[in-house]
């Protein structure tokens, strides 16, 4: 049985990034490093921004297309062929199937990594408690993140082509991205570690890149 939440997911990506960073005898280490490092950056960004209301902070507002897909399904709980009068709201809310549809409508897709990181630089999203800090990326960090996103997209959606990467020249990118992850995970004071071992593990994993 697998149990996982958003923090577990972010830590798992960081663990995989650390593993591939240290195991360069695998000729595909850089591919898996960029994919997992991207996941860790994204994951800790979500953890830092979401606060106590993920649906309002890190999920997209349902679009017109999605709403229109659910309206015919929900309408059956308000109008039936034999009864032209709408059911009351309590009847609908008491129906598990109707609640499931409403929940699926409300729980939209996750914001993209670009939007999440922009929110990490926004005091309105980051200043959640007296110890909270706002992410302030440097120019080099921005360049590194853009490069990481391009690598990840290339590897995750590989088009028919040949690709040659001089990995020795990309150490700076790794260092800059890890520094952003370190801030989000340990210095923003927005990531809640309910298990001290998890926080110590994150500290240890980040140290493996230094």
């Amino acid at each position: 049985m697998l149990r996982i939440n958003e923090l577990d997911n972010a830590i798992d990506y960081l663990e995989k990034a650390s593993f591939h960073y240290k195991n360069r005898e695998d000729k595909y280490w850089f591919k898996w490093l960029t994919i997992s490092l991207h996941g860790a950056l994204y994951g800790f960004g979500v953890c830092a921004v979401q606060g106590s209301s993920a649906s309002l902070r890190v999920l997209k507002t349902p679009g017109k297309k999605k709403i229109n897909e659910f309206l015919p399904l929900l309408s059956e709980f308000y109008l039936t062929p034999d009864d032209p009068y709408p059911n009351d709201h309590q009847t609908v809310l008491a129906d598990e199937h109707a609640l499931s549809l409403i929940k699926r409508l409300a729980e939209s897709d996750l914001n993209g990594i670009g939007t999440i990181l922009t929110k990490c630089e926004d005091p309105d999203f980051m200043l959640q408690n007296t110890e909270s800090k706002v992410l302030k990326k440097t120019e080099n960090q921005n360049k590194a993140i853009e490069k990481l996103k391009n690598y990840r997209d290339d590897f995750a959606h590989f088009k028919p082509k040949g690709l040659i990467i001089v990995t020795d020249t990309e150490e700076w990118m790794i260092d800059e991205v890890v520094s952003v992850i370190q801030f989000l995970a340990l210095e923003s004071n927005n990531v809640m570690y309910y298990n001290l071992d998890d926080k110590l593990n994150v500290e240890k994993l980040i140290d493996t890149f230094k």
Side-chain angles (χ1 to χ4, degrees), residues 190-203:
N190 278 359
V191 179
M192 297 297 297
Y193 294 94
Y194 297 102
N195 184 336
L196 180 60
D197 289 340
D198 285 341
K199 186 174 183 179
L200 294 175
N201 186 33
V202 170
E203 293 174 350

Side-chain angles (χ1 to χ4, degrees), residues 57 119 121-128 134:
R57 290 172 161 266
K119 289 181 176 181
E121 296 184 279
D122 188 339
D124 288 341
F125 286 95
M126 289 295 282
L127 298 183
Q128 301 168 21
V134 178

Side-chain angles (χ1 to χ4, degrees), residues 23 31-32 57 83 118 121 125 128 138 147 150 183:
N23 290 273
K31 166 189 169 182
W32 291 112
R57 290 172 161 266
D83 183 5
T118 297
E121 296 184 279
F125 286 95
Q128 301 168 21
T138 66
K147 200 161 195 180
N150 290 335
F183 174 85

Side-chain angles (χ1 to χ4, degrees), residues 16-80:
K16 298 303 185 292
S18 174
F19 174 82
H20 292 293
Y21 181 75
K22 295 183 296 182
N23 290 273
R24 302 190 182 193
E25 66 277 5
D26 179 351
K27 69 176 182 178
Y28 296 118
W29 72 271
F30 187 77
K31 166 189 169 182
W32 291 112
L33 170 67
T34 55
I35 291 173
S36 49
L37 204 58
H38 181 281
L41 176 64
Y42 196 178
F44 279 110
V46 169
C47 290
V49 168
Q50 70 173 358
S52 60
S53 181
S55 62
L56 295 177
R57 290 172 161 266
V58 298
L59 299 182
K60 296 178 183 177
T61 302
K64 182 177 180 181
K65 180 179 179 182
K66 185 171 184 179
I67 292 173
N68 286 339
E69 289 175 355
F70 281 90
L71 284 178
L73 298 173
L74 288 172
S75 65
E76 67 183 83
F77 295 98
Y78 289 94
L79 291 173
T80 66

Side-chain angles (χ1 to χ4, degrees), residues 53-115:
S53 181
S55 62
L56 295 177
R57 290 172 161 266
V58 298
L59 299 182
K60 296 178 183 177
T61 302
K64 182 177 180 181
K65 180 179 179 182
K66 185 171 184 179
I67 292 173
N68 286 339
E69 289 175 355
F70 281 90
L71 284 178
L73 298 173
L74 288 172
S75 65
E76 67 183 83
F77 295 98
Y78 289 94
L79 291 173
T80 66
D82 300 325
D83 183 5
Y85 298 101
N87 293 319
D88 61 67
H89 290 155
Q90 294 303 317
T91 301
V92 176
L93 294 177
D95 189 287
E96 292 185 4
H97 181 49
L99 282 177
S100 176
L101 290 172
I102 293 170
K103 184 177 181 182
R104 284 170 58 195
L105 177 60
E107 293 183 351
S108 189
D109 297 329
L110 184 66
N111 287 147
I113 186 171
T115 301

